Amino acid sequence: MSTSNSTEVIVHRVPLWLAVALTVVISLPFGTLLGKYNLALWASFIAWAEYFALGAKPSALKPIWILFPLGAFTMAIFAIFNNYFIIYAGWKPLVSVTIWIFVWVAIAVFSMRFHPLFRQGSLPYFNGISMYLAFYFSGLQPGAGAGPLTGDPFIDAWILWIWVSLAGIFGGFLGWLNILLTFPKKVVK
């Protein structure tokens, strides 16, 4: 019997639907039991989906863990500029947001041309940008996933960045864990 026609396939010994449900339950304490240190699990679930969009392999963690925080970082800089011009320069909030979001989104997207990792990880990079903006504009409070905010808009811009980044990193981990919970096994057919 020739084995030249055999192929190797992955068999999941636990169905994906059950592994997903288990992963959600495992994630709950991180969004509900840590008080002002709770993670915004909805942002983590975005990065979890990225893990699958990027192939559901451990190699997907690198672009998530690097580019999700980097995208959020560019918007933390936007927040610093925006907060400064509203608080100290007296600009109207709509004018300041319009100008500074244009500038920093343009910079964030333009910078993508300088490293090949952006081609593989444009999804986590853009999700880091959008998740930071979601945290910033939604007025999240401590305990709701924004981290231990201080009330200082300049310090809080960086606390939001840390919590957005942690949510994205945790989401990548959840994607990896989700596949692990299927107990995959290579089988030769």
Side-chain angles (χ1 to χ4, degrees), residues 73-159:
F73 180 80
T74 62
M75 293 303 103
I77 297 171
F78 148 76
I80 294 295
F81 273 77
N82 187 53
N83 294 342
Y84 177 84
F85 278 86
I86 291 170
I87 295 167
Y88 293 112
W91 287 18
K92 293 189 181 301
L94 183 58
V95 170
S96 184
V97 165
T98 302
I99 290 170
W100 293 116
I101 207 163
F102 175 85
V103 168
W104 284 101
V105 168
I107 289 169
V109 175
F110 184 78
S111 68
M112 292 177 69
R113 65 189 335 184
F114 297 108
H115 198 282
L117 185 59
F118 285 110
R119 284 188 286 284
Q120 178 191 8
S122 61
L123 180 62
Y125 184 67
F126 276 105
N127 282 340
I129 290 170
S130 64
M131 288 300 98
Y132 187 93
L133 294 175
F135 278 46
Y136 181 76
F137 287 117
S138 68
L140 285 178
Q141 299 297 312
L149 299 174
T150 66
D152 180 309
F154 299 99
I155 293 171
D156 287 351
W158 296 111
I159 291 172

Side-chain angles (χ1 to χ4, degrees), residues 15-79:
L16 185 62
W17 64 267
L18 183 56
V20 168
L22 288 170
T23 305
V24 169
V25 169
I26 289 167
S27 74
L28 288 177
F30 296 94
T32 59
L33 300 178
L34 301 177
K36 66 182 179 180
Y37 300 101
N38 283 342
L39 290 174
L41 292 179
W42 50 270
S44 297
F45 295 162
I46 298 278
W48 176 359
E50 292 168 10
Y51 185 80
F52 282 87
L54 295 173
K57 294 180 273 197
S59 61
L61 293 173
K62 180 179 179 182
I64 294 169
W65 289 354
I66 293 172
L67 295 174
F68 195 101
L70 185 58
F73 180 80
T74 62
M75 293 303 103
I77 297 171
F78 148 76

